[in-house]
Amino acid sequence: MAPADALPPPEQAASLRRAPLLDLDRVLGDVAPDRLAISILLYLTLPDLLFLGGWAAPWAALLTGLAGAAALVLAPGWSRPWPLSGGMTALCLALGLLWAGATGAHHLVYSSADWEIRDAVLRDLMAEPWPVSYPDMDRGVLWLLRAPLGFYIPAGLIGRLAGFPAAQASLWAWTGLGFALVLMLLALVARAVSPGQPGRGFAVMTGIFVLFHGLDILPNIWLDWNFGTGPLASWGRGGEWWARLFQYTGHVTAILWAPNHAMPAWLLALMVLRYGRHPDFARGLALPFAAGAFWSPLGSAGAAILAAAVLLRQGMRAVWRAVTPANFLAVVFALPLCVYLVAGSSEVPHGLVFVVHPALKVLWVWPLFLVLEVLCWAVPAAVLVRSWTFKVAVVLLCLLPGYVFGPGNEMTARGGMAPLAVLAVVAAAALLAPVAGRAQRLARAGLLACSILALPGAAMEASLLAKRPWQASAECDLLEAARQSVFASSTEWAHYLAPWPDAMLSGWMREPPPRPMDRTSTAAPCWPHGGP
């Protein structure tokens, strides 16, 4: 036995102790799907059913629409109770509508430049016959609107009945409902992580999630200082693109620029965290990801990888559990949606990052990018929290920059949204987890420092809202809006359009009605009172 004077003093012994890591998978992922899960499925699936009814030939709409409706009826969770109190549900609905107010969908506040095109998509769904097509006299091509339309279709349908202002208001409400569902999932995650203080847990979880951001402020200050524009030049401009080769979309940027992609990615990632380990989730696994793909193919693909990793972690028995009629029907439902989304997509720029960009630049920008966007959060969080889903999310975020897809590299900007949502939840959970010992206290301090440094970056992105609002165009269709947009000289809109007829689509899609229209350079300006 060691002599008494060799034993460490009490304070030294305390510094050597370490609290057990918070097992996030255990406290979150064993929950059975409930009526909240069903509500999310209804939210994601409704636009897909409306699309099939308006765009597919009657036989295809009937076959695949019935398959989707049957998969929805067979989804687990209908018989289980609503997991939130009436007061918390109402609070999330109110906060979701307020959160959606920052998107600019209504143009009451400043709307980012991407809304030039989004407004045109909403306007065309409201004003033009379905399927929407565009005769392009300059190129001698009939274009088909081929884009992920899940975000827009319900509001566009309301606009067909009540006009463009009603479509804008409906899109705001529709966005608010989606954000409310995100907040409801976050409330349940916070309650599981911090059962003794659910109010504090919800405040921390929501605050971190809403403002989650990389440490972009550091490279932006350095770059702007060297360019001679001053350290705060990204005010009113934003600074997510400091790496130039790729970006991970902070959550403030996501709601300002891409709520249509963020919504499904966040909902699906949070569903995987909350329900992913329960056997019933595997039995209805396919439908949420099939439905979400029509909102954001890459955003849903990132979440699907997380779900597949959770399923494989449980072994082949769990994989066989996913072989169900509900999943088979969901695949039938997804087939026309996926074919529609990939038609003409070969024109979208893509390739390995070392081929698309100079290899030497990639070799130093990629590691720096990961340190400032991912590892600054992941490394300290790993000292406090353990989770298989968290590990997969971090690995995915480290690998995604290796492939470039779409203008602005959608592979990272959209594909990274689901794993970033997991990282945000893990960071918030780590701040709520108990600590003991020097290593865990340092990790907590590191997370707090990241939160403080990330806040100015989020504020820089949110500074767009300080600019004057501009009025949406209710007259310009997608082709004309693209011709006059601020991106006219820098973006090829192949990810929104496909030439018609298309061999992949003409067998099951309705023939687009003819639209005799000649576009000329003398067309009226889309935004006569000024745009973004």
Side-chain angles (χ1 to χ4, degrees):
M1 179 179 293
D5 57 0
L7 295 175
E11 58 272 13
Q12 184 177 351
S15 71
L16 295 175
R17 286 198 301 269
R18 179 172 175 169
L21 272 65
L22 174 66
D23 189 340
L24 201 61
D25 290 338
R26 183 181 59 80
V27 301
L28 295 182
D30 290 326
V31 179
D34 48 30
R35 288 181 183 172
L36 175 57
I38 294 296
S39 298
I40 294 169
L41 280 180
L42 288 168
Y43 181 78
L44 292 174
T45 305
L46 175 62
D48 308 48
L49 294 172
L50 294 175
F51 167 81
L52 290 172
W55 292 58
W59 69 268
L62 182 63
L63 175 64
T64 57
L66 285 176
L72 188 58
V73 169
L74 294 173
W78 288 94
S79 62
R80 297 189 178 100
W82 184 257
L84 292 163
S85 68
M88 179 56 76
T89 301
L91 176 63
C92 289
L93 287 170
L95 291 176
L97 191 62
L98 180 65
W99 194 9
T103 63
H106 42 61
H107 286 263
L108 298 177
V109 298
Y110 181 79
S111 308
S112 65
D114 278 3
W115 280 99
E116 291 179 326
I117 302 303
R118 292 205 184 98
D119 290 332
V121 171
L122 181 63
R123 177 260 173 210
D124 292 348
L125 290 172
M126 178 203 77
E128 306 298 344
W130 291 6
V132 178
S133 63
Y134 309 92
D136 188 342
M137 303 306 176
D138 295 333
R139 301 187 187 185
V141 176
L142 178 66
W143 296 107
L144 177 75
L145 175 61
R146 196 270 299 133
L149 301 176
F151 179 65
Y152 310 97
I153 278 188
L157 191 60
I158 291 174
R160 296 179 81 86
L161 302 174
F164 191 60
Q168 288 183 290
S170 300
L171 191 61
W172 180 10
W174 183 242
T175 308
L177 177 57
F179 283 160
L181 293 170
V182 170
L183 291 171
M184 291 175 195
L185 286 170
L186 290 175
L188 293 169
V189 169
R191 188 169 72 187
V193 170
S194 182
Q197 297 178 298
R200 174 177 173 269
F202 179 65
V204 172
M205 186 68 64
T206 303
I208 291 292
F209 192 91
V210 170
L211 300 174
F212 191 71
H213 205 272
L215 305 188
D216 301 338
I217 191 67
L218 301 179
N220 274 305
I221 287 177
W222 186 85
L223 288 170
D224 290 333
W225 198 296
N226 277 273
F227 288 152
T229 54
L232 302 179
S234 55
W235 182 265
R237 181 200 73 200
E240 291 274 29
W241 272 107
W242 64 269
R244 303 293 188 268
L245 308 182
F246 24 62
Q247 73 154 20
Y248 280 135
T249 308
H251 288 186
V252 172
T253 307
I255 66 168
L256 292 175
W257 291 89
N260 52 322
H261 294 281
M263 200 96 64
W266 293 350
L267 285 171
L268 293 172
L270 292 172
M271 286 184 75
V272 172
L273 280 174
R274 175 164 166 79
Y275 306 112
R277 283 163 51 92
H278 195 277
D280 280 357
F281 186 72
R283 296 187 180 104
L285 182 69
L287 184 59
F289 299 98
F294 190 57
W295 293 63
S296 176
L298 291 175
S300 298
I305 292 173
L306 298 177
V310 170
L311 190 67
L312 292 172
R313 175 74 166 179
Q314 300 173 61
M316 287 306 300
R317 185 176 180 182
V319 174
W320 282 111
R321 203 181 290 133
V323 182
T324 63
N327 285 334
F328 174 77
L329 289 166
V331 171
V332 174
F333 171 63
L335 282 175
L337 302 172
C338 294
V339 170
Y340 168 77
L341 290 171
V342 302
S345 60
S346 60
E347 299 300 320
V348 179
H350 60 280
L352 293 173
V353 67
F354 289 104
V355 175
V356 176
H357 299 293
L360 288 177
K361 184 175 183 180
V362 172
L363 285 174
W364 71 266
V365 172
W366 191 347
L368 178 63
F369 174 76
L370 293 180
V371 168
L372 294 175
E373 301 287 342
V374 179
L375 300 180
C376 59
W377 294 101
V379 171
V383 181
L384 295 158
V385 175
R386 67 179 178 186
S387 163
W388 170 250
T389 313
F390 167 45
K391 292 177 183 177
V392 174
V394 172
V395 170
L396 186 57
L397 289 169
C398 289
L399 295 178
L400 279 176
Y403 194 81
V404 176
F405 181 85
N409 197 351
E410 307 285 304
M411 184 59 68
T412 50
R414 310 299 179 233
M417 284 180 164
L420 274 182
V422 172
L423 185 58
V425 169
V426 169
L431 287 171
L432 293 167
V435 297
R438 183 175 303 161
Q440 290 186 334
R441 286 197 298 271
L442 287 173
R444 171 74 62 83
L447 286 171
L448 288 172
C450 283
S451 301
I452 293 170
L453 285 172
L455 192 58
M460 289 294 184
E461 297 300 318
S463 66
L464 288 175
L465 295 174
K467 301 170 74 171
R468 64 165 183 83
W470 50 279
Q471 187 174 354
S473 173
E475 305 300 328
C476 286
D477 67 9
L478 175 62
L479 279 194
E480 190 57 42
R483 191 180 70 81
Q484 297 188 32
S485 79
V486 297
F487 303 110
S489 61
S490 60
T491 301
E492 174 60 46
W493 298 103
H495 57 308
Y496 272 96
L497 301 168
W500 182 269
D502 183 283
M504 298 176 66
L505 303 177
S506 55
W508 61 269
M509 185 176 284
R510 294 181 183 180
E511 187 78 18
R515 287 180 55 202
M517 183 185 300
D518 189 11
R519 283 174 188 77
T520 68
S521 58
T522 59
C526 295
W527 305 280
H529 305 294

